[in-house]
Amino acid sequence: MTEDTIKRRAKGLDRAFDILDFLKEVGQPLRPNDIASGIGSPKSTVYELVASLLARRILETVGKDGHVYLGRQLYFLGQAHLRHFDLTREADHALQEIVSQTHETAQMCLLNGRKYTVALMREGERHFRISSDIGENAPIPWTASGRLLLGHLSDQQIVDLIDPDDFILPDGQRLSVESFLEQIRQATLDGFFSFDSVADTFTHCFAAPVRDAQGVSIATLCIVAPRADARNNYNDYRRVLIESADNLARRIND
């Protein structure tokens, strides 16, 4: 195989992942023309890649108008990943234990490139629902977990990683970079961070890091609770979360 052939195939693979990522972000079936416009790729290239992904059931047709969306083969691949990925498997047990002790919604959160995402979630034992969509990307500065997941990076690396517009909070105010960096350094020392959610007006978010053997936060465990309950049970929720995150870290690092 020539070097040019290798480069063309690698570029095609990048485009294929662009298609999958774009469909995930949009959250609905699209025609190949619309996908090409969305990812800034030639229509002929997208049509060729879509045909290949359809043949492998990575994409599936939806309806009769040429729309395509993420296929069931991705589900099976995801299940295979979960069966052999210790962090995910062990984290699910940790979230169940957090819910049993606090009755609040518990989540495992990760970085996804330059964004934050909820990877796993167990809903709390309440009559109303407090949750986030699993896999939906959010700006890192909007999250409690963001103060913990970046602690191993230098100030400049953090600034380079985050899109400047992501410092604009949902209420239109801009979080200063200096304040964000200070919060990261303090949260890293404390091994914990919590604040009133900036994404809504009635929840409080708690986060504790799950660290690898080198001390890098590879994930966070979180509790999302109504603000009144968070105030009344703050110390208990903090204790349960830190203990759960530390226990999870020990299990996956042994």
Side-chain angles (χ1 to χ4, degrees):
M1 188 180 297
T2 67
E3 185 175 349
D4 286 343
T5 300
I6 294 173
K7 288 181 178 179
R8 284 197 300 273
R9 289 190 175 184
K11 187 174 182 180
L13 184 60
D14 285 342
R15 292 292 191 185
F17 279 113
D18 287 342
I19 291 171
L20 299 179
D21 287 339
F22 184 64
L23 286 171
K24 181 179 80 72
E25 291 298 322
V26 173
Q28 64 182 25
L30 294 173
R31 294 186 181 92
N33 278 352
D34 298 322
I35 296 172
S37 298
I39 67 174
S41 184
K43 293 179 182 179
S44 59
T45 300
V46 170
Y47 271 99
E48 181 179 350
L49 289 170
V50 165
S52 180
L53 293 170
L54 286 170
R56 289 165 172 79
R57 302 189 305 282
I58 300 298
L59 294 180
E60 293 181 354
T61 57
V62 179
K64 299 180 180 180
D65 297 323
H67 291 73
V68 299
Y69 196 58
L70 304 176
R72 67 193 68 185
Q73 184 66 14
L74 292 172
Y75 170 79
F76 296 126
L77 292 172
Q79 290 299 305
H81 167 75
L82 291 176
R83 285 195 297 271
H84 295 279
F85 186 34
D86 287 343
L87 174 60
T88 303
R89 185 174 61 249
E90 295 290 346
D92 190 51
H93 296 311
L95 297 184
Q96 293 181 58
E97 183 61 25
I98 292 171
V99 173
S100 71
Q101 293 188 59
T102 66
H103 310 294
E104 304 291 0
T105 294
Q107 301 172 338
M108 183 185 77
C109 304
L110 304 168
L111 292 181
N112 184 21
R114 303 176 69 188
K115 302 292 182 179
Y116 149 100
T117 192
V118 177
L120 285 176
M121 181 174 63
R122 288 282 177 174
E123 291 191 19
E125 300 170 357
R126 292 183 172 278
H127 295 299
F128 57 95
R129 186 172 182 265
I130 299 177
S131 63
S132 301
D133 290 334
I134 293 176
E136 182 178 353
N137 289 332
I140 296 171
W142 293 15
T143 69
S145 294
R147 275 70 177 173
L148 295 162
L149 292 168
L150 304 181
H152 62 290
L153 300 178
S154 69
D155 287 359
Q156 189 58 54
Q157 287 174 320
I158 293 170
V159 171
D160 292 342
L161 175 69
I162 298 176
D163 188 322
D165 287 343
D166 284 355
F167 287 100
I168 301 175
L169 303 178
D171 63 2
Q173 296 188 55
R174 178 178 285 276
L175 174 66
S176 74
V177 174
E178 292 77 14
S179 295
F180 185 60
L181 294 174
E182 288 175 6
Q183 291 169 357
I184 288 172
R185 300 310 171 207
Q186 188 61 53
T188 301
L189 290 173
D190 295 340
F192 175 80
F193 189 82
S194 80
F195 70 170
D196 286 342
S197 171
V198 300
D200 62 56
T201 59
F202 63 93
T203 61
H204 188 89
C205 302
F206 300 77
V210 179
R211 295 189 172 103
D212 66 12
Q214 288 71 48
V216 174
S217 179
I218 57 175
T220 59
L221 297 186
C222 306
I223 292 174
V224 184
R227 291 183 182 180
D229 293 285
R231 286 194 300 271
N232 294 335
N233 300 285
Y234 187 91
N235 289 333
D236 284 341
Y237 289 3
R238 184 180 188 275
R239 174 186 55 79
V240 168
L241 195 61
I242 292 175
E243 288 178 355
S244 297
D246 288 346
N247 289 337
L248 175 58
R250 281 193 290 272
R251 290 199 298 272
I252 64 174
N253 290 325
D254 285 343

